[in-house]
Amino acid sequence: MTEMTPIPHDTVTKTAPPAADDNPSGRLVFVLTLSLIVLTLCVYARVFTFEFVNWDDTHYIVDNEYYPQGLTKETVWWALTSNQQGFWIPTTRLSFVLDGHLWKMHPSGFHLTSLMLHIINTIVCFAVCRAMLGGVWKAFLVAAIFAIHPLHTESVCWVNDRNDLVCGLFWLLAMSAYLSYCRTLGFGKYLLLTVLMSLSVMSKPQAATFPFAMLLLDLWPLSRWKTSRWKTKQTDAEAEPVRFTQRSFIGLCMEKLPLIVLC
């Protein structure tokens, strides 16, 4: 019989238990998400009493001949092909067509849609930050600032400025798809990323900066650059497992080339 040699005590690798902040309970996430919704409503609930703004709303929303017709083949085709205001933003215009169908041009309905979009954006922001930063409280702080930051006031309260909200929604969803792609590369995930980014660009042309923003995220916090100087120097025993796939700088640029060309 072969004698078994005991393993020395000092060679046993001890795995530290995961921090509670990295693995929050479902109840905590639900409570924090509900808190973000309440916080946003406390700031913006009064928009239901607002009228259309007598600036661009009158010309581009109220006097528009297509929005009161609601969802028809004619209005959808107009939204997909028109170049009103000098911009091609079919995704945003389709949201106005849907509003005209649901609310019959009542301003409170349009404001309700804008507020709901901002609430959804805040929740998605919370989820994306959790995935990137790995901490529920850090993500909650970022999402709370996002929810009440004064720079969003114009987008929520001014109906014609909804392109920021629609663009932001698909931008954040595209970020979520990008994080999924970075974990396990795959054509299907890249295709979903491309579709969501396209919808963001079709809401506001400024979203064409998306591929370059993702390149910055590769530097931090995703640490996908193989030669990134931002990485903390650790011993092999202290090193954390890589959460996202890594590539060289040239590889990361080539990875985003189809997105850049599309933009």
Side-chain angles (χ1 to χ4, degrees), residues 190-203:
Y190 195 90
L191 180 61
L192 176 62
L193 164 65
T194 303
V195 171
L196 292 171
M197 187 208 70
S198 301
L199 291 172
S200 182
V201 177
M202 291 162 61
S203 306

Side-chain angles (χ1 to χ4, degrees), residues 21-251:
D21 188 49
D22 294 336
N23 295 280
S25 65
R27 179 177 298 179
L28 175 60
V29 174
F30 174 78
V31 170
L32 293 180
T33 302
L34 185 62
S35 300
L36 290 171
I37 296 174
V38 173
L39 177 64
T40 308
L41 288 175
C42 287
V43 175
Y44 289 109
R46 290 185 59 196
V47 297
F48 298 116
T49 65
F50 294 171
E51 298 292 332
F52 289 113
V53 177
N54 189 20
W55 182 252
D56 282 355
D57 285 356
T58 303
H59 179 68
Y60 292 112
I61 305 297
V62 179
D63 295 338
N64 187 291
E65 62 177 308
Y66 294 97
Y67 296 149
Q69 299 178 31
L71 285 172
T72 65
K73 291 182 180 180
E74 182 181 9
T75 56
V76 171
W77 178 252
W78 171 83
L80 293 174
T81 58
S82 67
N83 198 32
Q84 189 184 28
Q85 297 173 269
F87 296 110
W88 183 65
I89 48 175
T91 314
T92 301
R93 293 205 175 96
L94 284 173
S95 74
F96 288 139
V97 169
L98 181 60
D99 274 354
H101 184 82
L102 295 175
W103 313 118
K104 309 302 181 184
M105 300 307 294
H106 198 284
S108 61
F110 281 74
H111 286 299
L112 172 62
T113 301
S114 295
L115 178 56
M116 291 300 298
L117 283 171
H118 185 53
I119 291 175
I120 294 173
N121 288 349
T122 300
I123 296 173
V124 177
C125 177
F126 179 45
V128 169
C129 288
R130 279 181 56 209
M132 284 195 304
L133 304 177
V136 67
W137 290 106
K138 290 181 289 186
F140 176 77
L141 177 60
V142 173
I145 295 175
F146 177 90
I148 64 176
H149 199 287
L151 282 177
H152 292 297
T153 305
E154 184 176 284
S155 302
V156 180
C157 300
W158 184 12
V159 173
N160 196 51
D161 199 44
R162 184 185 293 172
N163 52 359
D164 276 349
L165 301 174
V166 181
C167 175
L169 173 62
F170 289 110
W171 177 293
L172 290 168
L173 291 175
M175 282 183 63
S176 180
Y178 181 69
L179 295 178
S180 178
Y181 168 78
C182 291
R183 289 191 184 94
T184 55
L185 306 180
F187 175 76
K189 293 183 177 181
Y190 195 90
L191 180 61
L192 176 62
L193 164 65
T194 303
V195 171
L196 292 171
M197 187 208 70
S198 301
L199 291 172
S200 182
V201 177
M202 291 162 61
S203 306
K204 190 172 184 178
Q206 284 82 345
T209 58
F210 181 88
F212 304 99
M214 296 305 101
L215 193 60
L216 292 177
L217 288 181
D218 289 337
L219 176 63
W220 185 87
L222 304 186
S223 297
R224 295 190 67 208
W225 292 21
K226 284 186 176 180
T227 58
S228 174
R229 296 181 180 179
W230 288 61
K231 295 180 181 179
T232 304
K233 293 183 179 180
Q234 297 174 315
T235 64
D236 292 339
E238 296 173 342
E240 295 181 358
V242 177
R243 295 193 301 154
F244 302 99
T245 56
Q246 295 184 338
R247 286 182 171 177
S248 65
F249 175 73
I250 299 299

